[in-house]
Amino acid sequence: MSQVEQTFVMIKPEAVQRGLIGEILSRFERKGLKITRLAMKQIEPSVAEVHYRHHRDKPFFPGLIEAITAGPVVLAVIEGPQAIAHVRNLIGATNPLQAVPGSIRGDFANELPYNMVHASDGPETAREEIARFFGEE
């Protein structure tokens, strides 16, 4: 059996506004992953800028910050065997035009930066993002 790992997921404002929280979270649960922490909050621009700092020099950065701070988000810690890879597969490609039908982005997103969800891309990123949004534990 694979080692259990944790990952971070953010359901973005556009998905919250469209009432997709339950649908998105249920996809992780149906896969056999466990939601261990859950919160809803408004992301401050300063936190969003830290979260997306790796995109700071890109032309789409201001629009990304505007989109993520446009309304409340749902923050989740998802746990299970190979959780990072499973969550990334469930959410689909970053660009909704490349996301396959059946993935969260393939089914619900239409354009960037409104791609419904963010998920950690590796173990170190997951630890950093969980700490950023839920605190050290």
Side-chain angles (χ1 to χ4, degrees):
M1 185 178 246
S2 299
Q3 181 178 353
V4 172
E5 62 185 7
Q6 290 186 327
T7 192
F8 172 77
V9 171
M10 179 189 302
I11 301 175
K12 295 181 179 184
E14 64 271 15
V16 173
Q17 292 166 0
R18 287 177 51 191
L20 296 172
I21 299 166
E23 170 67 29
I24 291 169
L25 292 175
S26 72
R27 290 186 183 209
F28 302 128
E29 290 182 312
R30 288 195 310 256
K31 184 67 176 178
L33 300 168
K34 183 177 178 182
I35 301 166
T36 61
R37 296 178 87 178
L38 194 62
M40 178 181 263
K41 69 182 295 185
Q42 179 78 35
I43 302 296
E44 296 295 325
S46 60
V47 175
E49 288 174 10
V50 170
H51 184 67
Y52 287 119
R53 68 185 172 274
H54 55 285
H55 294 305
R56 182 174 283 127
D57 297 329
K58 297 179 179 147
F60 59 81
F61 183 72
L64 187 59
I65 300 306
E66 183 179 327
I68 203 69
T69 60
V73 298
V74 172
L75 310 168
V77 176
I78 309 290
E79 184 176 283
Q82 300 177 29
I84 295 168
H86 283 301
V87 166
R88 300 289 295 178
N89 284 335
L90 287 167
I91 67 171
T94 301
N95 186 335
L97 292 173
Q98 298 167 346
V100 298
S103 68
I104 292 166
R105 291 170 173 161
D107 288 351
F108 302 119
N110 292 313
E111 63 182 335
L112 289 172
Y114 307 103
N115 62 0
M116 301 294 139
V117 290
H118 163 85
S120 302
D121 60 5
E124 182 60 32
T125 305
R127 283 188 291 278
E128 289 175 11
E129 292 176 342
I130 291 167
R132 179 176 303 124
F133 292 104
F134 287 102
E136 300 286 343
E137 193 171 284

